[in-house]
C-alpha cells in the first residue's frame, strides 16, 4: 500500500457548505512542444521578448516609410496617411487570423514570416520609387503602395500570435501575464522604431537605405534568433532550408543596398532626363538640379519632384511676384518667406532696400543655391549680399514668435498648394500672421497659382484677415524653354494685399523689369476682376 499525503481538510464556505481545497498553480514547461534545453532554455524567454521588441520597432519603421513615400510620390498627405494606416490595421487583423493555421510549427512559421517581412519591407521604398519613375506614375505607385501595405500588414499581424505560442511553449503560465509581457515588449519596440525613423534612419541613411537596413535587422533579430532557440522543431532538411532562406534574404538586401545609388540615378534620368547634375536630400524632400553649364539642356531645379525653377523663364514669375509689391513706399525692410533665390535677387534690385530677411525651412536648398555656380549666377549671388540674412525655420512658426520686427514688404515665395500639400502656407491663419508683421502701409505679395485652381481661395483667405487685394498676372511670353514645363500650362496669377486698396505700379528705384509694364499689370488685373466669382470660395484653414 502506498502512502500519500492527505489532501488539506475542507473548509466551510460562506454558505456553510464545504469548500474545495485550493491548489496553488505552479508555472511549468509546456509539454505541447519542444522547449529549448539548457542555456537556451534560460535565455529563451528574454530572447523571444527581445525579438518581439525588435520586430515591433521594424514594423513601425516600415509603416512610417510607406507613409513618407506615399506623401512624397503621390502628394495629398492626408489621403496617403489614411490609406496606409487603415489598410495596415485591416491587414494585421487578416494576418492574425491566418496565423491560427501556422500554430502547429510556430518557430518555423515565425522564421518564414520574418524573412518575408524583411524582404518586402526592406525593398518597399525602392520598388515603389521604381514603379513611380518607370511605370504609369501616379496610378501604378498608388496601387503598389496599397498592395505593399496590405502584404506588410498581414505579415506583421501574424507575429504576435506566433510569438505568444512560442512564449507558452517555453513556459506555460497564465495567459494574462504572457500577453502583458509580450505586448509591453511590442509597444516599447514600436516607440523606439517611431523615434528612430525621423531622428536617426531618415537623416542618416535616407528612405531607401533606411528601409534596407531595417529589413536586415528584422531578418537577424526575428528569423535567426527564433531558429537558433527552437532548432529542434523543424526537421534537419527544413532547418537547413530555413537558414539558407534567411541568408538569401540578407544577400538580396545587401545587393539592393549596393545598387541603390545606381537605381536612384536611373530613376532620376527617367523622370528628369539625362541631364541630371546633382541630387541632394533635403529636410523632407529630394532636391534635384538638372541642365545648365556643361549640358545642352536649360537649368532646372526640382524640389520634391516638382519643377521649382526653370532657368530661362523664371524671371517672369520672380518679377511679377516682387516688383509690384516694392513699388510703393516705404520698402526698406523686406521679408521673403521661402527659398526665394530669384525673388531675393529681384528685391535687391531696389536701391531703397536696406535689409532682407529670408525664412526658409530647408537648409539644404539655400546651401545648394550658394555653392552651385550656375544656380548662384541665376540668383545673382543674392545670398552673398550683406543686406541679406537667412533664417532656417518653418515660416508659420517663425511668424508666430513674439518680439519680431515689422516689415514694409512681405513676399511669400512658398509653393502653391498641390492637393492638400502646402495648404498651410495659403491658410487664413498664415495670412493673418503675415499681416500682423506688416508695418503701417506695408504690402504682402503671394503666389496665387492658376486662376482656375486656388487663386480665389487664397484671395478669400487674405480678405478674411482684413486685407484688401488685387489679383494680376505676368504678361504671356514665348513658349516654355524647359522640357518639363507643359506648353499649355496655365499662366500663374499673383495677389498683392495691404490694409488699404493696393495700386499696381512699378518702382523708380530699380531698373525696369524685363517682362513687366504698369499698363500690362493693370490690364491683367482688370481681366481677372471680370472673372472673379460673385462669391469667393471658403478660405483654407489649418483645421478645415
Amino acid at each position: 500500500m502506498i502512502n500519500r499525503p492527505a489532501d488539506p481538510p475542507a473548509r466551510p464556505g460562506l454558505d456553510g457548505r464545504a469548500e474545495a481545497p485550493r491548489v496553488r498553480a505552479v508555472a511549468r514547461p509546456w509539454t505541447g512542444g519542444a522547449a529549448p534545453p539548457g542555456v537556451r532554455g534560460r535565455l529563451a524567454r528574454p530572447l523571444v521578448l527581445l525579438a518581439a521588441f525588435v520586430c515591433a520597432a521594424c514594423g513601425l519603421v516600415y509603416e512610417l516609410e510607406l507613409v513618407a513615400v506615399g506623401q512624397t510620390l503621390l502628394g495629398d498627405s492626408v489621403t496617403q496617411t489614411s490609406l496606409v494606416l487603415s489598410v495596415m490595421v485591416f491587414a494585421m487583423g487578416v494576418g492574425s487570423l491566418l496565423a491560427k493555421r501556422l500554430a502547429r510549427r510556430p518557430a518555423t512559421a515565425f522564421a518564414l514570416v520574418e524573412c518575408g517581412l524583411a524582404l518586402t519591407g526592406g525593398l518597399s521604398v525602392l520598388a515603389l520609387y521604381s514603379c513611380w519613375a518607370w511605370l504609369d506614375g501616379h496610378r501604378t505607385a498608388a496601387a503598389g503602395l496599397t498592395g505593399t501595405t496590405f502584404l506588410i500588414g498581414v505579415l506583421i499581424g501574424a507575429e504576435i500570435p506566433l510569438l505568444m505560442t512560442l512564449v507558452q511553449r517555453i513556459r506555460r503560465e497564465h495567459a494574462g501575464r504572457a500577453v502583458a509581457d509580450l505586448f509591453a515588449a511590442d509597444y516599447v519596440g514600436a516607440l523606439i522604431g517611431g523615434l528612430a525613423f525621423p531622428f536617426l534612419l531618415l537623416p542618416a541613411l535616407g528612405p531607401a537605405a533606411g528601409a534596407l537596413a531595417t529589413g536586415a535587422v528584422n531578418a537577424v533579430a526575428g528569423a535567426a534568433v527564433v531558429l537558433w532557440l527552437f532548432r529542434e522543431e523543424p526537421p534537419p532538411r527544413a532547418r537547413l532550408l530555413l537558414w539558407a532562406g534567411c541568408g538569401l534574404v540578407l544577400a538580396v538586401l545587401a545587393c539592393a543596398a549596393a545598387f541603390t545609388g545606381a537605381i536612384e540615378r536611373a530613376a532620376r534620368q527617367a523622370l528628369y532626363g539625362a541631364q541630371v547634375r546633382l541630387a541632394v536630400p533635403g529636410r523632407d524632400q529630394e532636391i534635384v538640379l538638372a541642365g545648365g553649364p556643361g549640358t545642352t539642356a536649360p537649368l532646372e531645379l526640382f524640389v520634391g519632384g516638382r519643377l521649382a525653377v526653370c532657368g530661362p523663364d523664371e524671371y517672369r514669375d520672380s518679377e511679377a511676384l516682387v516688383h509690384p509689391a516694392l513699388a510703393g513706399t516705404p520698402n526698406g525692410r523686406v521679408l521673403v518667406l521661402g527659398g526665394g533665390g530669384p525673388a531675393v535677387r529681384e528685391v535687391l534690385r531696389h536701391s531703397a532696400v536696406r535689409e532682407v530677411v529670408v525664412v526658409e525651412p530647408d537648409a539644404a536648398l539655400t546651401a545648394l543655391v550658394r555653392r552651385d555656380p550656375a544656380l548662384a549666377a541665376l540668383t545673382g549671388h543674392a545670398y552673398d549680399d550683406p543686406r541679406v540674412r537667412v533664417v532656417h525655420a518653418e515660416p508659420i512658426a517663425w511668424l508666430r514668435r513674439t518680439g519680431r520686427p515689422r516689415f514694409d514688404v512681405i513676399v511669400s515665395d512658398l509653393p502653391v498648394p498641390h492637393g492638400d500639400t502646402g495648404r498651410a502656407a495659403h491658410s487664413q491663419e498664415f495670412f493673418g500672421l503675415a499681416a500682423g508683421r506688416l508695418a503701417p502701409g506695408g504690402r504682402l505679395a503671394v503666389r496665387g497659382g492658376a486662376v482656375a485652381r486656388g487663386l480665389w481661395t487664397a484671395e478669400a483667405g487674405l480678405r478674411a484677415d482684413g486685407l484688401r487685394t488685387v489679383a494680376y498676372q505676368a504678361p504671356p511670353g514665348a513658349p516654355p524653354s524647359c522640357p518639363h514645363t507643359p506648353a499649355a500650362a496655365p499662366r500663374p496669377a499673383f495677389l498683392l494685399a495691404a490694409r488699404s486698396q493696393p495700386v499696381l505700379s512699378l518702382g523708380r528705384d530699380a531698373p525696369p523689369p524685363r517682362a513687366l509694364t504698369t499698363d500690362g499689370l493693370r490690364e491683367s488685373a482688370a481681366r481677372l476682376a471680370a472673372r472673379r466669382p460673385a462669391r469667393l470660395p471658403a478660405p483654407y484653414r489649418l483645421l478645415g
Side-chain angles (χ1 to χ4, degrees):
M1 183 175 181
I2 299 174
N3 294 326
R4 61 180 180 83
D7 291 332
R11 294 179 297 174
L14 295 177
D15 57 358
R17 292 181 294 183
E19 185 182 62
R22 298 179 180 176
V23 179
R24 184 164 56 93
V26 179
R28 59 186 183 277
W30 183 32
T31 59
V39 175
R40 284 187 294 133
R42 292 192 295 272
L43 296 177
R45 184 179 174 82
L47 286 178
V48 169
L49 293 178
L50 178 62
F53 169 88
V54 174
C55 291
C58 294
L60 196 63
V61 169
Y62 297 143
E63 188 172 344
L64 295 174
E65 290 276 9
L66 291 173
V67 170
V69 169
Q71 293 177 4
T72 301
L73 302 184
L74 305 176
D76 198 1
S77 58
V78 172
T79 300
Q80 305 312 323
T81 303
S82 302
L83 176 68
V84 170
L85 295 182
S86 57
V87 171
M88 180 75 72
V89 172
F90 169 73
M92 288 170 65
V94 174
S96 297
L97 292 175
L98 294 178
K100 294 193 296 185
R101 298 179 176 272
L102 307 175
R104 294 184 61 183
R105 292 185 177 274
T108 302
F110 186 79
L112 290 173
V113 165
E114 293 309 298
C115 285
L117 185 56
L119 195 62
T120 306
L123 297 176
S124 59
V125 174
L126 278 180
L128 291 173
Y129 186 59
S130 300
C131 288
W132 181 69
W134 280 296
L135 301 180
D136 186 18
H138 190 283
R139 185 178 304 174
T140 305
L145 178 67
T146 304
T148 304
T149 302
F150 182 81
L151 180 57
I152 290 177
V154 168
L155 296 171
I156 291 176
E159 288 177 334
I160 291 297
L162 294 175
L163 285 170
M164 182 67 182
T165 305
L166 293 175
V167 168
Q168 291 288 63
R169 172 165 290 186
I170 295 168
R171 187 180 70 201
R172 188 72 169 178
E173 63 179 340
H174 190 276
R177 291 176 178 270
V179 168
D181 292 342
L182 196 57
F183 275 90
D186 185 82
Y187 293 150
V188 175
L191 171 66
I192 299 302
L195 295 177
F197 175 72
F199 297 113
L200 178 62
L201 291 176
L202 202 57
L205 300 177
L212 292 170
T214 304
V217 172
N218 203 165
V220 172
V225 168
V226 171
L227 280 177
W228 177 74
L229 285 174
F230 297 90
R231 56 176 176 260
E232 288 82 8
E233 180 188 283
R237 185 174 181 180
R239 188 188 318 144
L240 181 62
L241 289 175
L242 288 172
W243 280 111
C246 185
L248 181 62
V249 168
L250 292 174
V252 169
L253 294 176
C255 289
F259 288 100
T260 294
I263 294 172
E264 290 181 347
R265 285 192 296 271
R268 290 191 197 103
Q269 290 180 358
L271 289 169
Y272 310 121
Q275 308 293 338
V276 173
R277 290 197 294 112
L278 185 65
V280 296
R283 193 189 61 164
D284 54 3
Q285 57 198 355
E286 186 179 55
I287 303 170
V288 176
L289 195 60
T295 69
T296 59
L299 181 67
E300 293 179 299
L301 176 67
F302 298 88
V303 179
R306 300 174 64 187
L307 181 63
V309 172
C310 172
D313 305 320
E314 61 78 23
Y315 70 93
R316 296 182 178 278
D317 289 356
S318 301
E319 289 182 351
L321 176 65
V322 171
H323 287 283
L326 273 75
T329 54
N331 58 8
R333 306 191 73 251
V334 180
L335 171 65
V336 179
L337 301 173
V344 177
R345 178 198 65 208
E346 298 300 325
V347 169
L348 294 174
R349 292 183 188 274
H350 291 258
S351 59
V353 173
R354 303 187 310 275
E355 180 185 6
V356 182
V357 177
V358 181
V359 179
E360 163 58 38
D362 199 335
L365 182 58
T366 55
L368 181 62
V369 173
R370 279 191 168 108
R371 77 170 183 265
D372 184 77
L375 202 54
L378 179 71
T379 60
H381 300 274
Y383 290 156
D384 296 331
D385 193 290
R387 293 173 290 174
V388 176
R389 179 168 63 91
V390 180
V391 178
H392 294 121
E394 284 290 346
I396 194 168
W398 189 88
L399 289 171
R400 288 191 66 227
R401 297 176 186 172
T402 58
R404 293 292 180 184
R406 295 182 181 270
F407 296 89
D408 301 311
V409 178
I410 297 178
V411 176
S412 178
D413 196 24
L414 298 167
V416 297
H418 179 69
D420 74 334
T421 304
R423 289 191 177 186
H426 272 221
S427 64
Q428 181 179 340
E429 292 88 345
F430 177 82
F431 291 145
L433 291 170
R437 294 297 179 194
L438 288 175
R443 295 163 303 285
L444 169 63
V446 176
R447 290 184 180 270
V451 176
R453 300 190 303 271
L455 173 64
W456 309 123
T457 303
E459 186 172 41
L462 291 165
R463 292 190 174 190
D465 289 315
L467 299 174
R468 297 190 177 186
T469 60
V470 58
Y472 61 96
Q473 290 176 295
S481 303
C482 292
H484 294 89
T485 303
R491 289 166 54 201
F494 304 87
L495 290 161
L496 182 60
R499 296 293 180 188
S500 57
Q501 183 61 43
V503 177
L504 290 174
S505 62
L506 296 175
R508 297 181 179 179
D509 62 334
R514 288 180 284 175
L516 299 180
T517 63
T518 300
D519 291 341
L521 289 172
R522 292 176 179 176
E523 288 174 5
S524 70
R527 288 194 300 268
L528 290 180
R531 297 176 60 182
R532 180 182 289 109
R535 182 177 180 181
L536 292 175
Y540 293 134
R541 295 187 179 89
L542 292 179
L543 297 181

